[in-house]
Amino acid sequence: MLEKTYSVPELLAPAGDMECLQAAVRYGADAVYLGGERYGMRSSCANFDLTQLAQAVDYAHSRGVRVYFTCNTLPRNSAMEQLPGYLQQVAQAGVDAFIIADLGVLWAAKQAAPQVAVHFSTQAGAVSFATARAMAELGAARVVLARELALDEIAEIRAKTPASLELECFVHGSMCVSFSGRCLLSEYLTGRDANRGDCAQPCRWKYAVMEEKRPGRYFPLCEDGGGTYLFNSHDLCMAPYLDRMIAAGVSSLKIEGRAKSAYYVAVVTNAYRWALDEYRRRGPAWSLDPWIGEELQKISHRPYSAGFYLGGTPGQETSTGGYIREYEVAAVCEEWQDGMARLRQRNRFFAGDELDVLAPGQRPFLIQAQGLLDEDKNPIESAPHATQVVYLPSARPIPAGALLRRKRAGDT
């Protein structure tokens, strides 16, 4: 008798550059989303020019992975004239969908590249079945729902919209203090428009109050006198609740992070891939394996929450604007042969360190950094030089591209 399997949503990972895209594909993404040099909401990451975009699409498609192109800013008049021609060039690269927030951009896309599917971005703020229906009638194949919705609201939207309309929701990553990312703080305080991809993240800054008639005298917004990170939202992590998201009818689970590192993309994509594959096998009996939750602690992150999905709010981290960083990448494996791994150093590590190996398709495993050798096969006590070649004996094969991590000094 064949074992029953349960359907799971698409796993959608971010790709801020080619290294991140390759990490997403290797570690199990069904689809990736990326941006070009213009019209995308993440101007701070490398992004893709048209030549790189074609290469990225070829790489992903050859491995069965879809590519969605972000064109989700709110462009002003001066940016609209060149948009149709640009979208035609993007379409020629072979992308599977445009992610769009603006009706003018939708019109341009339908004129320039009607063969490319359209996904309405979370920036469009869809919070009801009526809005989702209207977006479907305008030609959307998918709606990325607003992050402020609870799971029961998503379930109602699913029940009252065409079955052909896909629903995408964020499942992991940073949360914006403003409604669906429609923020004015950045432009007001710095002149950098968040709605055109240039957010300065003032929500992560530390604030105090100054009374108008007492210039230069600052009044703290907390009792200890140290000021507060007033707008600093917790990060989203829905890994423990994937079964509830699936039950609500979500078609695609989206990982936030086009400005994040390839290491972040690899770890989070791998964790959610394993969780979804376990759900596929176990169905209603599923629960999150503890090791997967532990993996999500090994990236830079703020304290986690379930966002708005369970009916509450994300909460705030008022004491610091920084990240929890307990692990770092010590090296990347370039080759393993006959019990010897050739590594490329990323951060300093020492003989005797315990290294945590993350390889595509495998559960993480630990090895000891014993018998380190330099490029000339001379014994060494540490690997202190950036990108230096290091050889490490390992009876267990370490595949090329695997990440070797270590717990940061001083962390417990």
Side-chain angles (χ1 to χ4, degrees), residues 84 87-92 95 98 106-118:
L87 292 179
Q88 284 181 335
Q89 293 176 303
V90 170
Q92 289 168 4
V95 300
F98 296 132
L106 172 67
W107 180 86
K110 289 299 184 183
Q111 297 298 312
Q115 76 279 13
V116 178
V118 169

Side-chain angles (χ1 to χ4, degrees), residues 83-334:
L83 179 59
Y86 182 66
L87 292 179
Q88 284 181 335
Q89 293 176 303
V90 170
Q92 289 168 4
V95 300
D96 297 284
F98 296 132
I99 303 175
I100 286 171
D102 180 80
L103 289 177
V105 177
L106 172 67
W107 180 86
K110 289 299 184 183
Q111 297 298 312
Q115 76 279 13
V116 178
V118 169
H119 298 174
F120 262 103
S121 170
T122 190
Q123 302 291 125
V127 295
S128 74
F129 63 84
T131 302
R133 282 179 184 172
M135 290 175 170
E137 291 183 6
L138 288 170
R142 177 181 296 187
V143 174
V144 188
L145 295 174
R147 301 188 201 197
E148 293 76 20
L149 291 171
L151 286 175
D152 58 351
E153 295 176 293
I154 294 171
E156 184 176 3
I157 291 172
R158 176 69 288 166
K160 295 181 178 179
T161 52
S164 59
L165 179 67
E166 297 175 345
L167 302 180
E168 178 180 305
C169 292
F170 281 90
V171 70
H172 195 95
S174 297
M175 293 284 285
C176 180
V177 70
S178 295
F179 182 84
S180 292
R182 298 288 286 267
C183 184
L184 300 176
L185 277 177
S186 181
E187 185 171 27
Y188 180 76
L189 294 175
T190 72
R192 291 170 51 179
D193 188 351
N195 297 310
R196 287 187 282 175
D198 202 22
C199 182
Q201 293 202 325
C203 55
R204 311 301 181 187
W205 298 351
K206 191 175 185 179
Y207 289 90
V209 173
M210 185 177 71
E211 200 273 323
E212 180 180 6
K213 296 181 179 179
R214 302 174 188 178
R217 184 176 176 184
Y218 295 92
F219 297 86
L221 297 175
C222 58
E223 292 181 2
D224 64 5
T228 184
Y229 294 86
L230 184 63
F231 307 110
N232 190 32
S233 177
H234 286 172
D235 282 359
L236 176 67
C237 178
M238 285 298 288
Y241 310 106
L242 290 183
D243 54 342
R244 297 177 64 172
M245 297 198 77
I246 294 169
V250 177
S251 311
S252 178
L253 302 176
K254 187 173 195 171
I255 299 167
E256 182 275 337
R258 280 198 294 128
K260 304 284 181 65
S261 68
Y263 171 68
Y264 168 94
V265 173
V267 173
V268 179
T269 303
N270 185 67
Y272 280 87
R273 177 78 277 150
W274 274 87
L276 287 171
D277 288 348
E278 282 298 304
Y279 180 88
R280 180 181 283 113
R281 287 188 286 271
R282 294 157 56 187
W286 176 89
S287 62
L288 186 70
D289 285 340
W291 75 266
I292 296 176
E294 292 168 5
E295 277 295 292
L296 296 172
Q297 300 296 327
K298 296 177 183 178
I299 57 170
S300 295
H301 64 93
R302 300 176 186 90
Y304 284 132
S305 79
F308 295 90
Y309 287 123
L310 304 185
T313 60
Q316 296 169 273
E317 177 56 44
T318 59
S319 61
T320 176
Y323 288 94
I324 301 167
R325 290 185 174 95
E326 295 183 349
Y327 281 77
E328 64 187 6
V329 178
V332 178
C333 183
E334 296 185 333

